[in-house]
Amino acid sequence: MKNDLIRILKTVLKQIGEENGIDFSNKKVSIQENKEKSHGDYASNLAMVIAKDLSQTPREVAEKICSLLPSEEWIEKVNIAGPGFINFYLKKDTHNEILLLIEESGRDFGRNNSGNGERVLIEYVSSNPTGPLHVGHGRGAAFGSVLSELLRCAGYKVDEEYYVNDHGRQMNILTISIWLRYLHQNGQELKFSKKGYQGVYVEQLAKQLAEEKGTKYNLKENESDLLELLEAQETEEDLDRLIGWGKSFLKENFEEIREFSLREIMSSIKEDLKLFGVNHNLWFNESSMYSNKIDLPDIDKSIKLLSESGFLYEKEEALWFKSTEFGDDKDRVVKRANSDNTYFASDISYHLDKYDRGYDRIINVWGADHHGYLPRVSAAMEALGKSRDKLEVVFIQFANLLRNGEKVSMSTRGGEFIPLIELIEEVSSEAARFFYINRKADQHLDFDLDLAKSQTKDNPLYYIQYAHARICGVFETLKKEGMKLNQELGLDNLNLLNLDKEIEIQKMLLQYPEVISRAAKNSEPHLICYYLKDLSGLFHSYYNSERFLVDDEKLMNSRLFLLKGTKQVISNGLEILGIGAPESM
RNA sequence: GCCCCGUUAGCUCAGUCGGAUAGAGCGCCGGAUUCCUAAUCCGGAGGCCAUAGGUUCAAAUCCUGUACGGGGCACCA
C-alpha cells in the first residue's frame, strides 16, 4: 500500500513537472506512517518539497496534487493538513491484507531478497585461545550471531567466521604457564610467574595434562637455571627468557603441550558458544598462514605483495608500512627489528585472504577499543588494490554488568575475568542474548542481571514470550472446548476486525518486514527487540479489553485469525534473535 | 594533543536515514481480576532533546564550535 501510494505520487509529480517545465526526477517521493491517528494512515510531504520550485505555497501545491490523484477503491479519503501534508485515510478492511500475507508466508514472513544472494563474511568473537570466553565477549558474540541471521533473512548468503590467534607470544606464554602448573601438579615445588596466565582453567588443564601424560614433561634433575629464571619473574623480558629456556628444555614436547593447550581451550570455547546459540561455520587459524602450504594464505607472500606496491620501507631495522599514505595517523610496523611479524602483519594477510575468497561484503565485529585499528587495516587493503568499502566494521561498545543496581567488576579479585558460561548459567542463554542485543551497538550497555532473571513485565523478554504463550493459551482453551479455528470463516470475516486496537495491531504487523530490512541494512538488531515489545504491548492491551472466544462464530474466528498472525510474527522475530517462543509459561 | 562513541523524563533507553502535539519501561500517585494465564491492563504527574551558532518551508535528527562522560592512540595481541 505504501509503495502503491509512492507510485501514484510519482506519476502525479511527473505530470506537474511536465506542465511547468521542471524536471522533478531527482526528487525523492516518500511516504510516512502517521503515529497520530487523526492524521490518517499515511502522509506525504511532497507538496512542501516542491513548493519552492513552483514558487507557490505548499498548500496550493498540495491542492494541485490532490486534484490530480486518481481515485482508488482502497483509499477512504485524502486531505491537506498542517503546513502542507497530504494525509491518506485508508478503508478499514485494507488493513486485513496483511493477515492474508502472513498466512501465506508463515515462517518466511519478513524475509526479503534485498541481499540478492550476495556472499557476506561476518567475523566475530575471535577471542584469543588463551582462556575461556568471558563476559566481555558476550555482547559481540550475541550481536554477530543475530546479525548473521538477520542478513540471511535479507537474502544474503552468510558465513560466520572465528579467527583463532594461535600463533605468537601469547600462546607461548600460555604453554609455559600450563607447563609450570603441571610441574607443580607433579610435586615439583616452584614459584609461578606473575606474568603468566593465572586462571583456574590453567590449573585444570595442567591437572588434565598430568593425568594424560604422567611425568613425561617433568624436570629430570636439579635445574637451577629454571629456579633462577622463576625468581626473576618481574618483567616481560624475563618471561621471554623463560619461554626460550622452556623451549630449549622441552624441545618437541613444548609443541606438544602447546597443541594440547590450544585444543582444550578451543574446545571449551566452542562448547560455550554452542550453549550460547552461536554457531560459526568457519574457523581460521592464524598459524595456517605460517604453514608454508601452497593452498593456504601465506604471510610472507602478503608482505611481499605489499612491498611490491611500494608502500613498505625499512627504518631502525624494522619494516614499516606507509599507512599514512591512506589516511592513518602514523606508519605501522609490519616486521619487528627482531624479524618477528607483528599482529598487524597477520591481519593484513588474513584480510587479504578474505578478499580473495570472493565475498561481496566483509563484516568485522570488533570491540570499540579496536577502533584505532581499522585505519591501518583498510590502508593495507587499499595499498593492495582492494576496495576499502567492502570491509565494514561494526564496533561494539562495552557492557557493564549490574547486580542490585551496582556495577559488577568484570574480573575477579585474582584478575581472572568472569567466564561467559557463568552468565549463561545464571540468567539463561536466551535472556543473555536478548539483553545484549537490546541496545544499539554503539551505545554503552548496562546489563541488569536481576532484571534478566525476573519474571515480570519489567523484563521485556518475558513480556514478549508471555504474549506468545497467552495466544497459545487461547488456542489451547479453544481446543479443550472441542472447537478449532475455522480458517475460512475467519478469512471471510476479517472486515469485522475494525476496533481501534485491531487496526493498530494489523498496522504493526505490516511494519514487521520493514523493521527486518532496516535492521539488516543498518546492522541494528536491537530494532527487532523494540518492535517485539511494542507488538506484544498492543496484544496484551487487546487481550485485556476484548474476549476472543465469543459466541458469534464469525467474530470469534476473525479474531482468532488476527491472533494467529500476531503469534507468527512474534515467533519469527524471536527466531532471528535465537530465542524460543514458548507455548506456555 | 589527536581519533572514535555517547549526552533525550528522577533512572535505563527508543526515536522509522529532516516532518505535525518527542515515546516506552522502571520508579512515583490512583484504579481494574465471579470471565481465554494479573508474568497482564487502564489513568495521572514528570522534557529548554547537554550547550552556542549554522543549513532548511521544517532540526532531537544534518554541519561547526564548546562542555561533560566512556574508550583508544606499541617494534602487545
PDB file of all heavy atoms in Angstrom, chain A residues 164-194:
ATOM      1  N   VAL A 164      41.246 -17.525  14.867  1.00  0.00           N
ATOM      2  CA  VAL A 164      41.942 -18.069  16.036  1.00  0.00           C
ATOM      3  C   VAL A 164      43.390 -17.585  16.061  1.00  0.00           C
ATOM      4  O   VAL A 164      44.183 -17.950  15.209  1.00  0.00           O
ATOM      5  CB  VAL A 164      41.924 -19.616  16.009  1.00  0.00           C
ATOM      6  CG1 VAL A 164      42.527 -20.160  17.289  1.00  0.00           C
ATOM      7  CG2 VAL A 164      40.507 -20.134  15.832  1.00  0.00           C
ATOM      8  N   ASN A 165      43.708 -16.764  17.043  1.00  0.00           N
ATOM      9  CA  ASN A 165      45.086 -16.259  17.187  1.00  0.00           C
ATOM     10  C   ASN A 165      45.966 -17.313  17.835  1.00  0.00           C
ATOM     11  O   ASN A 165      46.311 -17.217  19.000  1.00  0.00           O
ATOM     12  CB  ASN A 165      45.134 -15.040  18.116  1.00  0.00           C
ATOM     13  CG  ASN A 165      44.506 -13.832  17.498  1.00  0.00           C
ATOM     14  OD1 ASN A 165      43.700 -13.173  18.109  1.00  0.00           O
ATOM     15  ND2 ASN A 165      44.865 -13.549  16.274  1.00  0.00           N
ATOM     16  N   ASP A 166      46.301 -18.324  17.061  1.00  0.00           N
ATOM     17  CA  ASP A 166      47.037 -19.435  17.658  1.00  0.00           C
ATOM     18  C   ASP A 166      48.520 -19.358  17.336  1.00  0.00           C
ATOM     19  O   ASP A 166      49.230 -20.342  17.385  1.00  0.00           O
ATOM     20  CB  ASP A 166      46.458 -20.761  17.163  1.00  0.00           C
ATOM     21  CG  ASP A 166      46.552 -20.872  15.661  1.00  0.00           C
ATOM     22  OD1 ASP A 166      46.794 -19.841  15.004  1.00  0.00           O
ATOM     23  OD2 ASP A 166      46.385 -21.983  15.143  1.00  0.00           O
ATOM     24  N   HIS A 167      48.982 -18.179  16.969  1.00  0.00           N
ATOM     25  CA  HIS A 167      50.392 -18.047  16.653  1.00  0.00           C
ATOM     26  C   HIS A 167      50.952 -16.907  17.490  1.00  0.00           C
ATOM     27  O   HIS A 167      50.262 -15.937  17.758  1.00  0.00           O
ATOM     28  CB  HIS A 167      50.558 -17.743  15.154  1.00  0.00           C
ATOM     29  CG  HIS A 167      51.985 -17.666  14.729  1.00  0.00           C
ATOM     30  ND1 HIS A 167      52.687 -16.507  14.736  1.00  0.00           N
ATOM     31  CD2 HIS A 167      52.840 -18.622  14.280  1.00  0.00           C
ATOM     32  CE1 HIS A 167      53.926 -16.755  14.316  1.00  0.00           C
ATOM     33  NE2 HIS A 167      54.037 -18.029  14.031  1.00  0.00           N
ATOM     34  N   GLY A 168      52.197 -17.061  17.899  1.00  0.00           N
ATOM     35  CA  GLY A 168      52.825 -15.933  18.560  1.00  0.00           C
ATOM     36  C   GLY A 168      52.979 -16.060  20.050  1.00  0.00           C
ATOM     37  O   GLY A 168      52.723 -17.113  20.650  1.00  0.00           O
ATOM     38  N   ARG A 169      53.364 -14.963  20.643  1.00  0.00           N
ATOM     39  CA  ARG A 169      53.851 -14.924  22.010  1.00  0.00           C
ATOM     40  C   ARG A 169      52.805 -15.339  23.041  1.00  0.00           C
ATOM     41  O   ARG A 169      53.120 -16.061  23.988  1.00  0.00           O
ATOM     42  CB  ARG A 169      54.334 -13.503  22.288  1.00  0.00           C
ATOM     43  CG  ARG A 169      55.010 -13.326  23.610  1.00  0.00           C
ATOM     44  CD  ARG A 169      55.848 -12.057  23.629  1.00  0.00           C
ATOM     45  NE  ARG A 169      56.376 -11.804  24.962  1.00  0.00           N
ATOM     46  CZ  ARG A 169      55.752 -11.095  25.895  1.00  0.00           C
ATOM     47  NH1 ARG A 169      54.583 -10.554  25.627  1.00  0.00           N
ATOM     48  NH2 ARG A 169      56.287 -10.918  27.088  1.00  0.00           N
ATOM     49  N   GLN A 170      51.568 -14.903  22.853  1.00  0.00           N
ATOM     50  CA  GLN A 170      50.566 -15.204  23.869  1.00  0.00           C
ATOM     51  C   GLN A 170      50.377 -16.710  24.044  1.00  0.00           C
ATOM     52  O   GLN A 170      50.215 -17.196  25.160  1.00  0.00           O
ATOM     53  CB  GLN A 170      49.225 -14.546  23.517  1.00  0.00           C
ATOM     54  CG  GLN A 170      49.247 -13.032  23.535  1.00  0.00           C
ATOM     55  CD  GLN A 170      49.690 -12.447  24.861  1.00  0.00           C
ATOM     56  OE1 GLN A 170      49.334 -12.946  25.928  1.00  0.00           O
ATOM     57  NE2 GLN A 170      50.509 -11.407  24.812  1.00  0.00           N
ATOM     58  N   MET A 171      50.400 -17.422  22.925  1.00  0.00           N
ATOM     59  CA  MET A 171      50.269 -18.885  23.013  1.00  0.00           C
ATOM     60  C   MET A 171      51.448 -19.483  23.753  1.00  0.00           C
ATOM     61  O   MET A 171      51.305 -20.451  24.505  1.00  0.00           O
ATOM     62  CB  MET A 171      50.188 -19.491  21.602  1.00  0.00           C
ATOM     63  CG  MET A 171      48.803 -19.606  21.018  1.00  0.00           C
ATOM     64  SD  MET A 171      47.584 -20.299  22.144  1.00  0.00           S
ATOM     65  CE  MET A 171      48.190 -21.971  22.330  1.00  0.00           C
ATOM     66  N   ASN A 172      52.646 -18.906  23.528  1.00  0.00           N
ATOM     67  CA  ASN A 172      53.831 -19.409  24.225  1.00  0.00           C
ATOM     68  C   ASN A 172      53.718 -19.186  25.723  1.00  0.00           C
ATOM     69  O   ASN A 172      54.097 -20.047  26.525  1.00  0.00           O
ATOM     70  CB  ASN A 172      55.088 -18.709  23.701  1.00  0.00           C
ATOM     71  CG  ASN A 172      55.437 -19.176  22.297  1.00  0.00           C
ATOM     72  OD1 ASN A 172      55.050 -20.262  21.884  1.00  0.00           O
ATOM     73  ND2 ASN A 172      56.153 -18.341  21.568  1.00  0.00           N
ATOM     74  N   ILE A 173      53.187 -18.018  26.068  1.00  0.00           N
ATOM     75  CA  ILE A 173      53.023 -17.719  27.492  1.00  0.00           C
ATOM     76  C   ILE A 173      52.050 -18.705  28.127  1.00  0.00           C
ATOM     77  O   ILE A 173      52.272 -19.219  29.218  1.00  0.00           O
ATOM     78  CB  ILE A 173      52.518 -16.273  27.691  1.00  0.00           C
ATOM     79  CG1 ILE A 173      53.555 -15.288  27.141  1.00  0.00           C
ATOM     80  CG2 ILE A 173      52.244 -15.992  29.161  1.00  0.00           C
ATOM     81  CD1 ILE A 173      53.121 -13.839  27.185  1.00  0.00           C
ATOM     82  N   LEU A 174      50.981 -18.989  27.398  1.00  0.00           N
ATOM     83  CA  LEU A 174      50.008 -19.941  27.914  1.00  0.00           C
ATOM     84  C   LEU A 174      50.660 -21.311  28.102  1.00  0.00           C
ATOM     85  O   LEU A 174      50.479 -21.971  29.133  1.00  0.00           O
ATOM     86  CB  LEU A 174      48.821 -20.052  26.953  1.00  0.00           C
ATOM     87  CG  LEU A 174      47.792 -21.103  27.365  1.00  0.00           C
ATOM     88  CD1 LEU A 174      47.022 -20.647  28.602  1.00  0.00           C
ATOM     89  CD2 LEU A 174      46.818 -21.415  26.240  1.00  0.00           C
ATOM     90  N   THR A 175      51.412 -21.720  27.106  1.00  0.00           N
ATOM     91  CA  THR A 175      52.055 -23.027  27.150  1.00  0.00           C
ATOM     92  C   THR A 175      52.964 -23.137  28.370  1.00  0.00           C
ATOM     93  O   THR A 175      52.896 -24.114  29.125  1.00  0.00           O
ATOM     94  CB  THR A 175      52.883 -23.243  25.869  1.00  0.00           C
ATOM     95  OG1 THR A 175      52.045 -23.027  24.739  1.00  0.00           O
ATOM     96  CG2 THR A 175      53.454 -24.654  25.824  1.00  0.00           C
ATOM     97  N   ILE A 176      53.763 -22.115  28.559  1.00  0.00           N
ATOM     98  CA  ILE A 176      54.710 -22.149  29.666  1.00  0.00           C
ATOM     99  C   ILE A 176      53.952 -22.107  30.997  1.00  0.00           C
ATOM    100  O   ILE A 176      54.329 -22.773  31.966  1.00  0.00           O
ATOM    101  CB  ILE A 176      55.739 -20.998  29.530  1.00  0.00           C
ATOM    102  CG1 ILE A 176      57.088 -21.438  30.075  1.00  0.00           C
ATOM    103  CG2 ILE A 176      55.317 -19.736  30.251  1.00  0.00           C
ATOM    104  CD1 ILE A 176      57.910 -22.230  29.132  1.00  0.00           C
ATOM    105  N   SER A 177      52.862 -21.358  31.039  1.00  0.00           N
ATOM    106  CA  SER A 177      52.077 -21.260  32.272  1.00  0.00           C
ATOM    107  C   SER A 177      51.498 -22.621  32.649  1.00  0.00           C
ATOM    108  O   SER A 177      51.503 -23.010  33.820  1.00  0.00           O
ATOM    109  CB  SER A 177      50.931 -20.258  32.110  1.00  0.00           C
ATOM    110  OG  SER A 177      51.396 -18.997  31.719  1.00  0.00           O
ATOM    111  N   ILE A 178      51.002 -23.296  31.647  1.00  0.00           N
ATOM    112  CA  ILE A 178      50.414 -24.607  31.913  1.00  0.00           C
ATOM    113  C   ILE A 178      51.483 -25.616  32.309  1.00  0.00           C
ATOM    114  O   ILE A 178      51.289 -26.427  33.214  1.00  0.00           O
ATOM    115  CB  ILE A 178      49.613 -25.094  30.678  1.00  0.00           C
ATOM    116  CG1 ILE A 178      48.352 -24.243  30.548  1.00  0.00           C
ATOM    117  CG2 ILE A 178      49.265 -26.569  30.788  1.00  0.00           C
ATOM    118  CD1 ILE A 178      47.474 -24.587  29.385  1.00  0.00           C
ATOM    119  N   TRP A 179      52.601 -25.490  31.662  1.00  0.00           N
ATOM    120  CA  TRP A 179      53.693 -26.412  31.993  1.00  0.00           C
ATOM    121  C   TRP A 179      54.136 -26.237  33.450  1.00  0.00           C
ATOM    122  O   TRP A 179      54.341 -27.207  34.174  1.00  0.00           O
ATOM    123  CB  TRP A 179      54.871 -26.186  31.036  1.00  0.00           C
ATOM    124  CG  TRP A 179      56.015 -27.116  31.292  1.00  0.00           C
ATOM    125  CD1 TRP A 179      55.969 -28.474  31.411  1.00  0.00           C
ATOM    126  CD2 TRP A 179      57.385 -26.735  31.490  1.00  0.00           C
ATOM    127  NE1 TRP A 179      57.221 -28.977  31.669  1.00  0.00           N
ATOM    128  CE2 TRP A 179      58.113 -27.924  31.718  1.00  0.00           C
ATOM    129  CE3 TRP A 179      58.058 -25.505  31.493  1.00  0.00           C
ATOM    130  CZ2 TRP A 179      59.495 -27.917  31.948  1.00  0.00           C
ATOM    131  CZ3 TRP A 179      59.439 -25.507  31.712  1.00  0.00           C
ATOM    132  CH2 TRP A 179      60.146 -26.694  31.940  1.00  0.00           C
ATOM    133  N   LEU A 180      54.269 -24.994  33.871  1.00  0.00           N
ATOM    134  CA  LEU A 180      54.696 -24.739  35.253  1.00  0.00           C
ATOM    135  C   LEU A 180      53.690 -25.313  36.249  1.00  0.00           C
ATOM    136  O   LEU A 180      54.052 -25.913  37.249  1.00  0.00           O
ATOM    137  CB  LEU A 180      54.883 -23.235  35.489  1.00  0.00           C
ATOM    138  CG  LEU A 180      56.071 -22.595  34.756  1.00  0.00           C
ATOM    139  CD1 LEU A 180      56.112 -21.100  35.026  1.00  0.00           C
ATOM    140  CD2 LEU A 180      57.385 -23.241  35.153  1.00  0.00           C
ATOM    141  N   ARG A 181      52.434 -25.134  35.933  1.00  0.00           N
ATOM    142  CA  ARG A 181      51.383 -25.680  36.800  1.00  0.00           C
ATOM    143  C   ARG A 181      51.436 -27.203  36.813  1.00  0.00           C
ATOM    144  O   ARG A 181      51.185 -27.853  37.835  1.00  0.00           O
ATOM    145  CB  ARG A 181      50.002 -25.240  36.293  1.00  0.00           C
ATOM    146  CG  ARG A 181      49.581 -23.878  36.775  1.00  0.00           C
ATOM    147  CD  ARG A 181      49.222 -23.908  38.243  1.00  0.00           C
ATOM    148  NE  ARG A 181      49.046 -22.562  38.762  1.00  0.00           N
ATOM    149  CZ  ARG A 181      48.950 -22.264  40.049  1.00  0.00           C
ATOM    150  NH1 ARG A 181      49.012 -23.220  40.952  1.00  0.00           N
ATOM    151  NH2 ARG A 181      48.797 -21.017  40.439  1.00  0.00           N
ATOM    152  N   TYR A 182      51.773 -27.728  35.649  1.00  0.00           N
ATOM    153  CA  TYR A 182      51.886 -29.178  35.506  1.00  0.00           C
ATOM    154  C   TYR A 182      53.001 -29.719  36.408  1.00  0.00           C
ATOM    155  O   TYR A 182      52.839 -30.714  37.106  1.00  0.00           O
ATOM    156  CB  TYR A 182      52.142 -29.499  34.035  1.00  0.00           C
ATOM    157  CG  TYR A 182      52.757 -30.836  33.760  1.00  0.00           C
ATOM    158  CD1 TYR A 182      51.966 -31.961  33.538  1.00  0.00           C
ATOM    159  CD2 TYR A 182      54.151 -30.985  33.683  1.00  0.00           C
ATOM    160  CE1 TYR A 182      52.541 -33.190  33.271  1.00  0.00           C
ATOM    161  CE2 TYR A 182      54.736 -32.197  33.415  1.00  0.00           C
ATOM    162  CZ  TYR A 182      53.931 -33.311  33.219  1.00  0.00           C
ATOM    163  OH  TYR A 182      54.501 -34.520  32.949  1.00  0.00           O
ATOM    164  N   LEU A 183      54.137 -29.004  36.417  1.00  0.00           N
ATOM    165  CA  LEU A 183      55.258 -29.418  37.251  1.00  0.00           C
ATOM    166  C   LEU A 183      54.846 -29.396  38.716  1.00  0.00           C
ATOM    167  O   LEU A 183      55.143 -30.313  39.483  1.00  0.00           O
ATOM    168  CB  LEU A 183      56.461 -28.496  37.027  1.00  0.00           C
ATOM    169  CG  LEU A 183      57.130 -28.589  35.654  1.00  0.00           C
ATOM    170  CD1 LEU A 183      58.247 -27.562  35.533  1.00  0.00           C
ATOM    171  CD2 LEU A 183      57.695 -29.999  35.414  1.00  0.00           C
ATOM    172  N   HIS A 184      54.114 -28.372  39.063  1.00  0.00           N
ATOM    173  CA  HIS A 184      53.641 -28.247  40.435  1.00  0.00           C
ATOM    174  C   HIS A 184      52.720 -29.411  40.778  1.00  0.00           C
ATOM    175  O   HIS A 184      52.793 -30.024  41.841  1.00  0.00           O
ATOM    176  CB  HIS A 184      52.901 -26.915  40.592  1.00  0.00           C
ATOM    177  CG  HIS A 184      52.413 -26.667  41.982  1.00  0.00           C
ATOM    178  ND1 HIS A 184      51.101 -26.746  42.321  1.00  0.00           N
ATOM    179  CD2 HIS A 184      53.087 -26.340  43.117  1.00  0.00           C
ATOM    180  CE1 HIS A 184      50.981 -26.493  43.619  1.00  0.00           C
ATOM    181  NE2 HIS A 184      52.172 -26.237  44.125  1.00  0.00           N
ATOM    182  N   GLN A 185      51.883 -29.724  39.822  1.00  0.00           N
ATOM    183  CA  GLN A 185      50.950 -30.834  39.963  1.00  0.00           C
ATOM    184  C   GLN A 185      51.705 -32.133  40.244  1.00  0.00           C
ATOM    185  O   GLN A 185      51.264 -32.973  41.012  1.00  0.00           O
ATOM    186  CB  GLN A 185      50.169 -30.963  38.646  1.00  0.00           C
ATOM    187  CG  GLN A 185      48.968 -31.862  38.710  1.00  0.00           C
ATOM    188  CD  GLN A 185      47.865 -31.196  39.502  1.00  0.00           C
ATOM    189  OE1 GLN A 185      47.637 -30.012  39.379  1.00  0.00           O
ATOM    190  NE2 GLN A 185      47.182 -31.954  40.333  1.00  0.00           N
ATOM    191  N   ASN A 186      52.853 -32.253  39.589  1.00  0.00           N
ATOM    192  CA  ASN A 186      53.654 -33.466  39.757  1.00  0.00           C
ATOM    193  C   ASN A 186      54.649 -33.354  40.901  1.00  0.00           C
ATOM    194  O   ASN A 186      55.647 -34.042  40.938  1.00  0.00           O
ATOM    195  CB  ASN A 186      54.398 -33.787  38.454  1.00  0.00           C
ATOM    196  CG  ASN A 186      53.450 -34.420  37.446  1.00  0.00           C
ATOM    197  OD1 ASN A 186      52.308 -34.743  37.779  1.00  0.00           O
ATOM    198  ND2 ASN A 186      53.920 -34.590  36.229  1.00  0.00           N
ATOM    199  N   GLY A 187      54.385 -32.444  41.808  1.00  0.00           N
ATOM    200  CA  GLY A 187      55.170 -32.373  43.032  1.00  0.00           C
ATOM    201  C   GLY A 187      56.465 -31.601  42.933  1.00  0.00           C
ATOM    202  O   GLY A 187      57.280 -31.643  43.852  1.00  0.00           O
ATOM    203  N   GLN A 188      56.703 -30.924  41.838  1.00  0.00           N
ATOM    204  CA  GLN A 188      57.933 -30.156  41.753  1.00  0.00           C
ATOM    205  C   GLN A 188      57.666 -28.726  42.196  1.00  0.00           C
ATOM    206  O   GLN A 188      57.031 -27.947  41.490  1.00  0.00           O
ATOM    207  CB  GLN A 188      58.491 -30.220  40.326  1.00  0.00           C
ATOM    208  CG  GLN A 188      58.748 -31.680  39.930  1.00  0.00           C
ATOM    209  CD  GLN A 188      59.535 -31.831  38.661  1.00  0.00           C
ATOM    210  OE1 GLN A 188      59.193 -31.250  37.661  1.00  0.00           O
ATOM    211  NE2 GLN A 188      60.599 -32.626  38.723  1.00  0.00           N
ATOM    212  N   GLU A 189      58.150 -28.448  43.393  1.00  0.00           N
ATOM    213  CA  GLU A 189      57.851 -27.169  44.003  1.00  0.00           C
ATOM    214  C   GLU A 189      58.519 -26.018  43.277  1.00  0.00           C
ATOM    215  O   GLU A 189      59.712 -26.030  43.026  1.00  0.00           O
ATOM    216  CB  GLU A 189      58.315 -27.166  45.469  1.00  0.00           C
ATOM    217  CG  GLU A 189      57.401 -27.931  46.399  1.00  0.00           C
ATOM    218  CD  GLU A 189      55.982 -27.376  46.427  1.00  0.00           C
ATOM    219  OE1 GLU A 189      55.827 -26.157  46.344  1.00  0.00           O
ATOM    220  OE2 GLU A 189      55.040 -28.192  46.534  1.00  0.00           O
ATOM    221  N   LEU A 190      57.762 -25.051  42.900  1.00  0.00           N
ATOM    222  CA  LEU A 190      58.352 -23.847  42.323  1.00  0.00           C
ATOM    223  C   LEU A 190      57.390 -22.677  42.386  1.00  0.00           C
ATOM    224  O   LEU A 190      56.199 -22.840  42.580  1.00  0.00           O
ATOM    225  CB  LEU A 190      58.804 -24.096  40.876  1.00  0.00           C
ATOM    226  CG  LEU A 190      57.973 -25.090  40.052  1.00  0.00           C
ATOM    227  CD1 LEU A 190      56.742 -24.422  39.555  1.00  0.00           C
ATOM    228  CD2 LEU A 190      58.820 -25.624  38.931  1.00  0.00           C
ATOM    229  N   LYS A 191      57.959 -21.522  42.239  1.00  0.00           N
ATOM    230  CA  LYS A 191      57.133 -20.319  42.229  1.00  0.00           C
ATOM    231  C   LYS A 191      56.536 -20.143  40.844  1.00  0.00           C
ATOM    232  O   LYS A 191      57.071 -20.641  39.862  1.00  0.00           O
ATOM    233  CB  LYS A 191      58.005 -19.110  42.550  1.00  0.00           C
ATOM    234  CG  LYS A 191      58.333 -18.926  44.002  1.00  0.00           C
ATOM    235  CD  LYS A 191      59.008 -17.571  44.137  1.00  0.00           C
ATOM    236  CE  LYS A 191      59.488 -17.335  45.561  1.00  0.00           C
ATOM    237  NZ  LYS A 191      60.311 -16.110  45.601  1.00  0.00           N
ATOM    238  N   PHE A 192      55.468 -19.380  40.799  1.00  0.00           N
ATOM    239  CA  PHE A 192      54.863 -19.187  39.493  1.00  0.00           C
ATOM    240  C   PHE A 192      55.109 -17.795  38.946  1.00  0.00           C
ATOM    241  O   PHE A 192      55.193 -16.829  39.690  1.00  0.00           O
ATOM    242  CB  PHE A 192      53.360 -19.440  39.556  1.00  0.00           C
ATOM    243  CG  PHE A 192      53.071 -20.855  39.868  1.00  0.00           C
ATOM    244  CD1 PHE A 192      52.728 -21.239  41.141  1.00  0.00           C
ATOM    245  CD2 PHE A 192      53.215 -21.821  38.884  1.00  0.00           C
ATOM    246  CE1 PHE A 192      52.506 -22.558  41.442  1.00  0.00           C
ATOM    247  CE2 PHE A 192      53.000 -23.145  39.186  1.00  0.00           C
ATOM    248  CZ  PHE A 192      52.638 -23.524  40.466  1.00  0.00           C
ATOM    249  N   SER A 193      55.219 -17.772  37.678  1.00  0.00           N
ATOM    250  CA  SER A 193      55.433 -16.497  37.016  1.00  0.00           C
ATOM    251  C   SER A 193      54.229 -15.596  37.247  1.00  0.00           C
ATOM    252  O   SER A 193      53.092 -15.970  37.003  1.00  0.00           O
ATOM    253  CB  SER A 193      55.616 -16.734  35.520  1.00  0.00           C
ATOM    254  OG  SER A 193      55.434 -15.522  34.842  1.00  0.00           O
ATOM    255  N   LYS A 194      54.486 -14.402  37.712  1.00  0.00           N
ATOM    256  CA  LYS A 194      53.390 -13.446  37.906  1.00  0.00           C
ATOM    257  C   LYS A 194      52.880 -12.941  36.571  1.00  0.00           C
ATOM    258  O   LYS A 194      51.777 -12.449  36.449  1.00  0.00           O
ATOM    259  CB  LYS A 194      53.878 -12.266  38.747  1.00  0.00           C
ATOM    260  CG  LYS A 194      54.031 -12.593  40.216  1.00  0.00           C
ATOM    261  CD  LYS A 194      53.961 -11.316  41.044  1.00  0.00           C
ATOM    262  CE  LYS A 194      53.983 -11.620  42.530  1.00  0.00           C
ATOM    263  NZ  LYS A 194      55.259 -12.255  42.937  1.00  0.00           N
TER     264      LYS A 194
END
